[in-house]
Amino acid sequence: MITRETKHPRDYEVMDAVLDRGEATELARLLSCSPQLIRGWCRAPETEAEYTTGRFGPLARIRTLIAMIREADGRPDRAFLIGQYVALLLGGVFVPTPPVIENVNSDVLSNVSRTMKRSGEAIETIRIAWFEESPGKITNQERALCVADIQKAIVALIQTQQCIERHSTIR
């Protein structure tokens, strides 16, 4: 059974939380469609067959696109660009959730420690390049190194967090 904390909201629930009813008219004008369609994106399907109502909204379309990519490739990696695009529009970042590590042990924590150390070293390299060697300029190679190490550090930390949360006695 899926617990309430891990259940993802449905697309119409997200749209309902995001859009005020008064905004439907303005959004409809911007999208050249009817306000009823926009309001329909915010309502639950009327039947068990989710798409029989004809209110296939933008979030449901993104979900379908990601599902198609996952089915075609056997994994969703190609669709990560969608997450990165949306995150950039919102001023954030998208980092895919890493595979779950079953056991926190010395090897896992050593890996996290090594990853964090390498990330710190990459950031120090960027700091030196940015402020001391060529102020305000970073080479593509330096950028790529730093970004890759930061992403590895984020993944290592998330994996450790997931494992610790799964094995925590306090719930």
Side-chain angles (χ1 to χ4, degrees), residues 53-75:
T53 59
R55 293 186 308 269
F56 196 56
L59 298 179
R61 292 172 190 267
I62 290 172
R63 183 182 65 222
T64 301
L65 176 60
I66 292 168
M68 180 200 74
I69 291 168
R70 180 177 285 152
E71 185 175 319
D73 296 356
R75 59 180 200 234

Side-chain angles (χ1 to χ4, degrees), residues 60-158:
R61 292 172 190 267
I62 290 172
R63 183 182 65 222
T64 301
L65 176 60
I66 292 168
M68 180 200 74
I69 291 168
R70 180 177 285 152
E71 185 175 319
D73 296 356
R75 59 180 200 234
D77 297 13
R78 193 163 38 114
F80 290 168
L81 290 172
I82 297 168
Q84 291 169 344
Y85 176 77
V86 172
L88 285 171
L89 290 175
L90 296 171
V93 296
F94 169 76
V95 179
T97 303
V100 174
I101 294 178
E102 290 303 320
N103 298 321
V104 172
N105 57 34
S106 179
D107 293 339
V108 170
L109 295 177
S110 293
N111 181 45
V112 171
S113 178
R114 275 192 310 277
T115 301
M116 296 302 290
K117 183 177 179 189
R118 274 197 4 235
S119 299
E121 291 167 356
I123 291 168
E124 179 62 10
T125 299
I126 296 299
R127 186 196 67 76
I128 290 168
W130 185 264
F131 291 107
E132 296 173 13
E133 292 175 357
S134 55
K137 296 180 182 169
I138 296 175
T139 67
N140 284 336
Q141 182 180 2
E142 291 166 333
R143 182 200 58 80
L145 171 69
C146 189
V147 167
D149 280 345
I150 289 170
Q151 289 174 345
K152 287 177 189 172
I154 291 169
V155 167
L157 287 172
I158 291 172

Side-chain angles (χ1 to χ4, degrees), residues 17-77:
V18 169
L19 288 176
D20 287 332
R21 295 296 180 201
E23 292 175 333
T25 304
E26 178 62 14
L27 183 57
R29 186 186 64 74
L30 292 170
L31 296 176
S32 299
C33 64
S34 73
Q36 292 81 8
L37 175 63
I38 305 298
R39 289 186 196 102
W41 294 345
C42 301
R43 287 194 303 269
E46 294 153 0
T47 66
E48 288 295 317
E50 186 172 345
Y51 305 114
T52 60
T53 59
R55 293 186 308 269
F56 196 56
L59 298 179
R61 292 172 190 267
I62 290 172
R63 183 182 65 222
T64 301
L65 176 60
I66 292 168
M68 180 200 74
I69 291 168
R70 180 177 285 152
E71 185 175 319
D73 296 356
R75 59 180 200 234
D77 297 13

